[in-house]
Amino acid sequence: MIALETRSLCKSFGSLAVTQDVSLAFEVGWRYAIIGPNGAGKTTYFNLLAGNLRPDAGSILFSGRDITRLDVTSRARVGIARSFQRNNLFPDFTVRDNLALACALRAGTARVFWRPMRQLTSAHAEADDLAAQVGLTEVLGTAVRHLSYGSQRQLEVALALACKPQVLLLDEPTSGMSPEETSRMRVLIADIPRTLTVIVVEHDMDIVLDFADRIIVLDYGRVLEQGTPAEIRASEVVRERYLGKSALGYSGGHAP
Amino acid sequence: MASRAFVRRSIGLALIVGAVVAQSFAGFFTQELIAEAAILAIFALSLDLLATCGLISFGHAGLLGIGCYVFAGLTVLAGGSPNLAFPVAIVSGGAVAFMVGLFAVRTTGAFFIMVTLAVAEMLYAWGFRSKMFNGADGMGGIPRIDLTAVGIDLNNPGTFALTVIVVCAVIWLLLELVVASPFGRTLAAIRQNPSRVAALGGHVYFYRLAAFTASGMVAALAGAFKVQHINFISPDLVSWFVSGDVLIAVVIGGIGTLVGGPLGATLLVLLKETLSSNLGHWYLFLGMIFAFVALLMPKGIVGYLLDLNDRLAARKRPSECRQTERAT
Ligand SMILES: Nc1ncnc2c1ncn2[C@@H]1O[C@H](COP(=O)(O)OP(=O)(O)OP(=O)(O)O)[C@@H](O)[C@H]1O
Ligand SMILES: [Mg+2]
């Protein structure tokens, strides 16, 4: 069953074609990694999927339904959640307030104006659980602007999880994290239930090869290659254009 | 350590008690000033409610004006009961804000300022030419709400001042509840990062529209009190000077603090009075004083006090302050 699909998706910024005829289908419950050099159009593709950008051409289908015209809010409500490459949080709120608000927005209790926020016990319990999941329990009461960069990255992912999505888009979740934070995030991503479809943009090939069922290689806005980790490792084109020397270690025996 | 909410509420309580006590000792002239300040305070609360979700209006006098014109029109022109005109004026303010908001809240920042200013100027232009309301010359004879049935005579200046203070206090308390509610927290989240609220599935437009509508109701309520108080209506009540005054009151008091607006309104009314009766170019001096305060305390007086409270708390418990800090 296909959770999310793009058909001939195109997007240009002026004369710069950043997404060129991208047709991809994401199976329910599978893990995908999108890799590609800087400026390949990975974040732009996420922006198109999540509704932050309108495609110039092509369509996006969610469970077979055309969602190309839906805005960000509606796509979030449909079940697409994302984390951002650049931290995109509520800096004046504490970690708990960030998460509780996200839970309230998802649960539809955010419109309540006749009761204090703190009475939303389920949203707060959920917030505490999410914080524990990503490793933020100790800083629950800290305002986000005082948080370390790595903790902000963790919160970035936790906010996306708070949406209880069907499709989860993570844009470089481990960038700027310490080794400990990175390994925790790896475990977290590995533990995401198989009912969710997960698409991750990631530069760390270790993580990508370990986690992904399928890898998609973007280059100049085009799908250069897609396949299982083994296939991608074996691909001549990919090795030439993207993996380079640093990743050759993973291509077992193919090193020149 | 006093929480930020505690500090804000203490300031509010002090203002209310101060106003009530001052009113009970005041003569006619001071009572009139207190009523004026309390009406501006209500108006300032309505502007700050909107600021909670990051929208700054520079045409809020337009919504105040709806309250003025609807109340005056229904009572003087249509001969209706002021007791009925009052709620109708409030609802009208909400309805107009809703309709303007349908378009206006799609914009933010400078565009929103321009749209709100343009709408207010349209009402001003209409009022200026309106034969019904006697145009720029204005119209008098506006009655006050009749509460004699419950033993309250609003034609008594002291009673009127006290009533406006009580209404202002009730609105402030209600808004305190609203900003602490999930809805209010969502407004605060929208102020900080609207795009993330949308990414989390929040209808940013709906929340902004709701805040604008509620703000319009409170502004119109202030307007309906305004015309009762001065017993007169003219387009001057809708001029952009009025929008500017209330914005200054909120900024000086502390934007986004709720209680800052009433504090700023009180200072503005008192300073205007003192300066204008003692000095020639009093508006110049007023501007200088406010520029000085704004430079010294960019977050306004209440914002400054809140930060001061945070700093004192941090000094007291350096290890714990980050853990226990609550950003409200
Ligand atoms: N809003 C925009 N307006 C104009 N150009 C843009 C815009 N967003 C992205 N670009 C350009 O499109 C190209 C692709 O950007 P994108 O952020 O999608 O790349 P990426 O694959 O995510 O790169 P990175 O690995 O650095 O995150 C870049 O050249 C970028 O400068
Ligand atoms: Mg990117």
Side-chain angles (χ1 to χ4, degrees), chain A:
Chain A
M1 221 170 57
I2 290 166
L4 190 62
E5 186 182 355
T6 62
R7 292 184 181 161
S8 314
L9 212 58
C10 297
K11 180 73 193 175
S12 300
F13 295 116
S15 60
L16 184 70
V18 185
T19 304
Q20 301 188 55
D21 196 27
V22 175
S23 298
L24 291 168
F26 302 95
E27 295 274 348
V28 172
W30 286 33
R31 274 87 182 94
Y32 297 85
I34 299 180
I35 61 172
N38 290 112
K42 307 179 294 293
T43 298
T44 302
Y45 188 61
F46 269 16
N47 283 336
L48 290 167
L49 290 179
N52 301 85
L53 288 174
R54 283 284 144 88
D56 299 332
S59 55
I60 305 165
L61 284 84
F62 181 87
S63 303
R65 172 186 168 202
D66 192 325
I67 58 162
T68 320
R69 310 238 145 261
L70 295 190
D71 63 4
V72 176
T73 304
S74 314
R75 291 197 208 187
R77 299 215 79 87
V78 156
I80 301 174
R82 73 175 294 191
S83 76
F84 292 81
Q85 182 174 356
R86 294 222 195 124
N87 291 337
N88 194 5
L89 309 162
F90 305 112
D92 295 347
F93 282 2
T94 62
V95 170
R96 181 184 276 122
D97 288 353
N98 267 262
L99 290 168
L101 189 87
C103 296
L105 281 169
R106 185 213 67 231
T109 46
R111 331 185 145 191
V112 170
F113 61 86
W114 52 91
R115 278 194 301 159
M117 179 78 193
R118 68 186 134 75
Q119 280 185 16
L120 291 189
T121 41
S122 61
H124 282 96
E126 218 185 301
D128 292 357
D129 286 348
L130 283 163
Q133 228 181 319
V134 297
L136 288 173
T137 304
E138 255 121 72
V139 289
L140 263 171
T142 306
V144 163
R145 68 189 128 82
H146 291 148
L147 229 48
S148 72
Y149 184 80
S151 300
Q152 293 194 10
R153 293 305 293 155
Q154 290 170 316
L155 181 59
E156 185 60 51
V157 173
L159 279 183
L161 287 172
C163 298
K164 288 196 177 158
Q166 283 163 268
V167 176
L168 180 63
L169 313 174
L170 302 176
D171 200 348
E172 306 200 13
T174 65
S175 74
M177 277 188 179
S178 69
E180 301 87 73
E181 288 165 342
T182 302
S183 54
R184 180 191 270 278
M185 189 53 65
R186 280 179 79 159
V187 173
L188 172 81
I189 294 174
D191 283 351
I192 292 172
R194 277 278 165 178
T195 47
L196 260 76
T197 310
V198 185
I199 311 174
V200 177
V201 168
E202 184 57 70
H203 281 297
D204 186 333
M205 287 308 292
D206 240 347
I207 298 182
V208 167
L209 294 169
D210 177 52
F211 144 92
D213 299 316
R214 293 184 76 80
I215 298 174
I216 293 142
V217 187
L218 280 187
D219 192 32
Y220 292 111
R222 284 184 189 285
V223 178
L224 185 69
E225 195 80 79
Q226 55 173 316
T228 62
E231 283 164 3
I232 296 300
R233 265 185 303 202
S235 161
E236 284 292 329
V237 201
V238 174
R239 272 199 301 143
E240 252 170 51
R241 296 287 292 274
Y242 179 59
L243 290 180
K245 291 194 179 81
S246 63
L248 285 179
Y250 300 103
S251 46
H254 281 116

Side-chain angles (χ1 to χ4, degrees), chain B residues 162-177:
Chain B
L162 191 61
T163 306
V164 182
I165 293 168
V166 169
V167 171
C168 181
V170 168
I171 292 174
W172 171 65
L173 281 173
L174 285 176
L175 293 185
E176 275 287 330
L177 291 179

Side-chain angles (χ1 to χ4, degrees), chain B residues 157-244:
Chain B
T159 312
F160 185 78
L162 191 61
T163 306
V164 182
I165 293 168
V166 169
V167 171
C168 181
V170 168
I171 292 174
W172 171 65
L173 281 173
L174 285 176
L175 293 185
E176 275 287 330
L177 291 179
V178 168
V179 295
S181 73
F183 175 81
R185 299 299 283 166
T186 307
L187 292 183
I190 288 172
R191 175 181 52 74
Q192 295 169 63
N193 191 347
S195 76
R196 189 60 190 245
V197 172
L200 293 170
H203 291 101
V204 174
Y205 175 71
F206 163 84
Y207 284 97
R208 284 196 171 134
L209 187 57
F212 195 54
T213 305
S215 175
M217 291 174 70
V218 178
L221 184 149
F225 266 145
K226 185 78 196 173
V227 288
Q228 289 180 64
H229 182 224
I230 61 177
N231 187 16
F232 186 74
I233 186 165
S234 80
D236 284 348
L237 291 174
V238 197
S239 93
W240 65 271
F241 270 99
V242 178
S243 300

Side-chain angles (χ1 to χ4, degrees), chain B residues 11-83:
Chain B
I11 296 172
L13 212 61
L15 264 180
I16 296 168
V17 171
V20 170
V21 170
Q23 181 281 134
S24 63
F25 288 110
F28 167 75
F29 192 69
T30 314
Q31 281 171 341
E32 290 295 285
L33 270 189
I34 291 172
E36 187 187 341
I39 292 169
L40 186 60
I42 297 174
F43 190 27
L45 282 171
S46 86
L47 190 68
D48 206 25
L49 169 63
L50 191 57
T52 311
C53 67
L55 293 173
I56 309 289
S57 160
F58 198 70
H60 230 48
L63 295 172
L64 179 96
I66 297 294
C68 297
Y69 276 99
V70 169
F71 188 86
L74 285 179
T75 51
V76 179
L77 300 181
S81 142
N83 296 14

Side-chain angles (χ1 to χ4, degrees), chain B residues 67-114:
Chain B
C68 297
Y69 276 99
V70 169
F71 188 86
L74 285 179
T75 51
V76 179
L77 300 181
S81 142
N83 296 14
L84 186 67
F86 191 68
V88 174
I90 295 171
V91 172
S92 307
V96 170
F98 178 80
M99 286 185 293
V100 171
L102 284 175
F103 303 96
V105 303
R106 289 190 188 281
T107 66
T108 52
F111 287 108
F112 184 76
I113 288 176
M114 297 304 284

